[in-house]
Amino acid sequence: MKIVKGDITKFRAEAIVNAANKYLEHGGGVAYAIAKAAAGDVYEYIRISKEEMKKQIGREYIEHGEVVVTPPLKLAQNGVKYVIHTVGPYCGGKWDKEKEDKLKLAILGALKKADELGVRSIAFPAISAGIYGCPLEKVVKVFKDTVEQFLKEAKNVKDVFLVLYSETDYKKALKVLKEVE
Ligand code: ADP
């Protein structure tokens, strides 16, 4: 697992993960950025996402651990084959075991789907660490533990990246890794 600084919409990986909300509305944050970069028109990508959600889940929302896959459209130019939407917990600055479990499910759901699809490289944003207000340090720690455990049994996935958007978050994430190593 590698931590990198950058914009996930510019990142080259076979799959990129979206920190979505349960209705796949892509109204802000990284979801908006991915929808815009993929389709140009955010509403068009919301429409595609909802249509795929009906087909793949049979419902109009996803639970933690459930994921929806959409085509990369323009992101194909970065080598992206799939966009995998997952929903993390809402924290609002708080953190407890329940939020940790939900985050783990969200990360694992995306990893398992990628493996199933034959993906070798996958990039994640810091799920729930933005608008959903979970402490970045906790998110990074859960991410690291979940990925390491998953990679022991993965068939196809080899490279997992956590893409941090801001310099501050990137530095905080590196610090977490150093502390737990
Ligand atoms: P959530 O609602 O799950 O918290 P957000 O989109 O608000 O999702 O934020 C998740 C993380 O993604 C935040 O750390 C935010 O800084 C980051 N982020 C926002 N835009 C991008 C981007 N283009 N590439 C990578 N990360 C991004």
Side-chain angles (χ1 to χ4, degrees), residues 6-9 19 28-31 33 125-133 136 163 165 169:
D7 178 346
I8 201 162
T9 66
V30 73
I127 296 167
S128 288
I131 298 162
Y132 278 8
L136 180 84
V163 182
Y165 197 46
D169 284 355

Side-chain angles (χ1 to χ4, degrees), residues 4-11 17-21 28-34 86-91 103 124-134 136 139 162-166 169:
V4 294
K5 184 179 146 342
D7 178 346
I8 201 162
T9 66
K10 308 242 160 65
F11 198 79
V17 176
N18 178 26
N21 60 41
V30 73
Y32 182 90
I34 290 173
T86 195
V87 59
Y90 175 81
C91 292
L103 181 61
F124 283 77
I127 296 167
S128 288
I131 298 162
Y132 278 8
C134 300
L136 180 84
V139 171
L162 177 60
V163 182
L164 279 321
Y165 197 46
S166 76
D169 284 355

Side-chain angles (χ1 to χ4, degrees), residues 3-138:
I3 290 195
V4 294
K5 184 179 146 342
D7 178 346
I8 201 162
T9 66
K10 308 242 160 65
F11 198 79
R12 301 192 67 87
E14 288 182 4
I16 66 168
V17 176
N18 178 26
N21 60 41
K22 63 193 292 192
Y23 305 109
L24 307 189
E25 294 282 1
H26 316 325
V30 73
Y32 182 90
I34 290 173
K36 181 102 184 134
D41 177 0
V42 172
Y43 291 101
E44 175 58 9
Y45 212 58
I46 294 172
R47 192 192 61 72
I48 294 170
S49 303
K50 285 177 178 286
E51 201 177 288
E52 286 304 322
M53 179 157 59
K54 273 224 180 96
K55 275 195 221 158
Q56 295 169 36
I57 308 288
R59 254 199 263 114
E60 284 169 5
Y61 64 92
I62 50 170
E63 307 270 13
H64 305 291
E66 291 180 331
V67 298
V68 174
V69 183
T70 54
L73 306 184
K74 292 184 192 173
L75 291 171
Q77 70 193 20
N78 300 349
V80 177
K81 293 181 181 166
Y82 310 101
V83 176
I84 303 176
H85 305 266
T86 195
V87 59
Y90 175 81
C91 292
K94 298 193 185 81
W95 184 255
D96 55 33
K97 181 76 171 67
E98 192 191 326
K99 298 189 193 334
E100 180 176 330
D101 290 345
K102 286 178 177 170
L103 181 61
K104 214 171 218 172
L105 280 177
I107 296 166
L108 208 51
L111 287 168
K112 283 184 178 163
K113 178 59 79 180
D115 207 45
E116 221 176 279
L117 291 166
V119 162
R120 284 162 299 177
S121 57
I122 180 169
F124 283 77
I127 296 167
S128 288
I131 298 162
Y132 278 8
C134 300
L136 180 84
E137 285 86 351
K138 302 288 186 194

